[in-house]
Every structure is written in structure tokens, then in C-alpha cells.
Amino acid sequence: MKPEQPSTPMLPKNDGLGRLSAVWQWCLLALLSAVFAGVLEMIGIPAGLLMGPMIAGALVGMNGGTIRLPRQLFFCVQVVLAMMIAASMSPDLLVTFSGNWLLFLAIILSVIGVSTLCGWTITRMGILPGTTAIWGSSAGAASTMLLMADAYGADARLVAFMQYLRVVFVASTATIVSHLWVSGVEAETATHWFAPIAGLPFFMTLAIGIAGGFLGKILRVPAGAFLVPFAVGSALNITGTLTIELPQWLLALSFAMLGWNIGLGFTRAILAHARRALMPTIVSIVVLISFSGLLALLLIKVAGIDPLTAYLATSPGGLDSIAVIAASSNVDLPFVMALQTARLLIITLIGPALARFVADRA
């Protein structure tokens, strides 16, 4: 089988909202995001500050919007979210994993296996060529899978469509499940957006996070702008070396920009290019989400993990959006992140060889 040639991403045409200046597009996006986020927060949807901007971004992107979140800002978003999650890590997590590591490894490999099977089926049916369907179905971080797929000759546009559609489905499903699970269980606590913060810990948190993000980029670690600050911050937090301090307004802004980055990826050009793969992709996503739900039941029965934690831990990505939803819910955040991170690392290590192996036999 000849390797596919990576294609140039399709740029949106200047029609619809594209006729407006970038300033007006950003203003419209901000207004829609505030409306959607406000409604979702009012009705108690977890991660409304992520889902609202994501919906707004998708509407702008699909109606001809040409704006995109700058890479520098997305880098900052990853750093902030990584340090936020690192603040919740504790030594107790190692105890949980040491007694059940074989079960956790089996769960991770099962999710990877089912996602690969979905990609193989789409390829076998002739809907998408070669490794494109396999990379598009891979249950890893969407941005990481997109970069690796492009490097290995898959159609970057179709992979992006499949990955981000999965992120939207998974994030939406996880948000709904979280809302239904916690509804009526615990009272809402007031959020102090501009509460006083400790200056030195805050600047140390940012400095270490940014340094870790740049180190991840330099070392070319997959999802390094997220994983390296997460690893360094977790180690420093667990040992008591660093007190991680992040204001609520910064977290809210980071959630919104993550939602924009996902939503704005859905353009008319990409949707038109991927029309043939839409229904098979949706079916594969539903199958993967359902299978992950069954794995969550296994965690509940065997390891005694609470249901919502188990569901979020086994949800098939994306890592950053699941982290935001978990942080907005009453769950064991370190456990969720440990299982999600382990799956990302494993699929990153075996992904290229697995994609080529399956594509050659499709």
C-alpha cells in the first residue's frame, strides 16, 4: 500500500461571517460564548465555561468565520490547565494504582483496541483511505493525533474532523452524565472570580509551567506543552516544594479558549470534505463511548471506584476537555488524570506502528 500524501489544510473562504473583520468576529464569538456559558452555568451544567465557548466557536466556524486561536495562546492554555490538574495530585494515587495496575493496563489497551477496530472497519469498507481512518479513530489527545497523523502521511483534514468530532461528542456526553449524576447531590458553591491570591506562588506556578511547556516543545514530547508541566507540577506539589496558585478568572479564560480552539476547527470546508465519513464516524464514536461506559462498570465493580470518576477516567479523550469537566465535578481528579495520561502515553508510543500494521491488513 502506498503511503498517502499529507494534504494542505483547507482554508475557509471569505463568505458568511468571513466578510466581517477579525475584530468583529472575535466580538461576536465572545458575545455568543458569554450567552451560552451563562445559560449552561445557570442550569448547572459542569464545565459550562468550556462547553459554551465550544458551541459558539462551532457556530462561528461553520458560518464562514476565519478567526483561529493563536498557537501562543493555546500553548498558555495547556500550561494553565496542566498546572491546575497538578495541584490536585497526591501520593494516595500511587497506592490505588499499585494494587490494580494490571486492570488499568487492560482497560487502556481495550480502549485503544476498540478505537483501532473502528478505524480498521471504516478503512475496510472503503469509506476512507489507508491510515486516515485509523488515526482519526485513535483515542488519544486530538492535537497529538493530528500532528502524528500528518507526519505519517494521513489526510490531516479528515483526521482533524474525526478527532474533533469525537472530542465534541465525548465532552458533551461526559458533561451531561456529570450533570445528571451530581444534580441535587450537592449545593453549588459560590465562585470568587477575583479573590486575592498569593503573589509569589502565583508567579512561581506560571514560571514553572511555562518553562515546562517550552521544555516539552524543545524535547518534542507528544502533547509536551501539557504533559511536561503536568509532570513537573505534580512532582513539586506532591513533595510540597511548590504551592500551586491559579486565580479563578485565569482558569475561566483558559476554559473558554480551549472551547474556542475545538469549536473553530469545524469549518464549512472541512465539513464538506468529510461529508461521506460523517455517519460512519458518528457510529464509531457512539460504539467507543458505549464500550468505555462498560469499562467504567468494570472499574466500579472490581476496584471500587465511584461511578462518575470511573466514567470520566475511561472516557476516550480529549485529555484537556475531560480534565476541565472532571475539575468541575465532584470526582477523584488525580485518578481520572492518571488513567487518561497513561492512555495518551501508550497510544503515542505504539500509535505509528499500530496504524501502519492495521492499514496494511485492511
Side-chain angles (χ1 to χ4, degrees):
M1 178 182 295
K2 294 182 179 180
E4 305 155 58
Q5 295 300 317
S7 54
T8 303
M10 298 178 70
L11 297 176
K13 297 179 180 179
N14 289 328
D15 58 358
L17 295 178
R19 291 194 293 265
L20 300 177
S21 68
V23 173
W24 283 110
Q25 291 184 53
W26 280 113
C27 289
L28 177 61
L29 177 62
L31 177 60
L32 290 174
S33 299
V35 171
F36 286 128
V39 171
L40 293 176
E41 286 289 312
M42 284 178 58
I43 62 179
I45 297 293
L49 295 176
L50 165 71
M51 299 302 297
M54 186 174 74
I55 296 170
L59 288 175
V60 170
M62 290 187 293
N63 284 280
T66 57
I67 53 175
R68 297 292 179 270
L69 189 71
R71 290 189 177 185
Q72 296 88 339
L73 283 180
F74 186 58
F75 171 85
C76 295
V77 168
Q78 291 176 294
V79 167
V80 170
L81 295 181
M83 297 305 287
M84 175 196 74
I85 298 160
S88 67
M89 302 303 286
S90 67
D92 297 338
L93 180 66
L94 300 177
V95 177
T96 303
F97 262 68
S98 62
N100 298 280
W101 68 270
L102 200 57
L103 172 64
F104 298 151
L105 181 61
I107 287 175
I108 292 169
L109 293 178
S110 296
V111 172
I112 294 174
V114 171
S115 65
T116 303
L117 178 62
C118 290
W120 177 85
T121 303
I122 294 175
T123 301
R124 189 72 174 176
M125 293 171 64
I127 297 170
L128 291 176
T131 58
T132 297
I134 297 166
W135 280 114
S137 301
S138 293
S143 56
T144 303
M145 295 302 103
L146 180 56
L147 291 173
M148 294 177 68
D150 190 48
Y152 283 88
D155 188 324
R157 295 168 297 179
L158 290 174
V159 172
F161 169 77
M162 296 177 71
Q163 283 287 334
Y164 283 113
L165 187 63
R166 176 176 55 82
V167 169
V168 170
F169 267 72
V170 170
S172 301
T173 304
T175 300
I176 293 171
V177 170
S178 298
H179 173 62
L180 294 176
W181 187 262
V182 303
S183 180
V185 175
E186 60 178 13
E188 291 285 333
T189 56
T191 300
H192 302 286
W193 296 106
F194 298 99
I197 61 170
L200 183 59
F202 173 55
F203 287 113
M204 287 296 294
T205 298
L206 291 183
I208 292 172
I210 292 172
F214 277 119
L215 180 62
K217 290 284 189 181
I218 293 171
L219 297 178
R220 297 185 177 181
V221 176
F226 182 92
L227 288 181
V228 174
F230 169 64
V232 173
S234 297
L236 294 177
N237 181 62
I238 289 174
T239 58
T241 308
L242 173 68
T243 300
I244 296 177
E245 184 85 22
L246 292 168
Q248 289 296 323
W249 61 264
L250 181 59
L251 293 176
L253 186 60
S254 299
F255 296 167
M257 287 194 287
L258 174 60
W260 291 341
N261 190 66
I262 296 171
L264 289 171
F266 287 87
T267 64
R268 291 178 180 177
I270 290 179
L271 292 176
H273 186 64
R275 187 176 299 143
R276 187 183 178 202
L278 178 60
M279 287 310 300
T281 300
I282 291 176
V283 170
S284 69
I285 291 171
V286 172
V287 168
L288 187 58
I289 292 175
S290 301
F291 181 75
S292 297
L294 293 177
L295 293 177
L297 289 176
L298 184 63
L299 273 180
I300 296 168
K301 297 296 184 182
V302 176
I305 306 299
D306 74 88
L308 187 53
T309 296
Y311 181 80
L312 293 178
T314 56
S315 291
L319 180 66
D320 39 18
S321 55
I322 290 297
V324 172
I325 296 167
S328 306
S329 308
N330 185 25
V331 299
D332 186 345
L333 181 58
F335 182 87
V336 172
M337 289 311 303
L339 204 57
Q340 289 281 342
T341 302
R343 191 187 70 244
L344 173 60
L345 293 176
I346 291 175
I347 191 61
T348 300
L349 290 173
I350 70 175
L354 182 63
R356 180 57 59 194
F357 176 84
V358 175
D360 287 343
R361 287 156 180 78

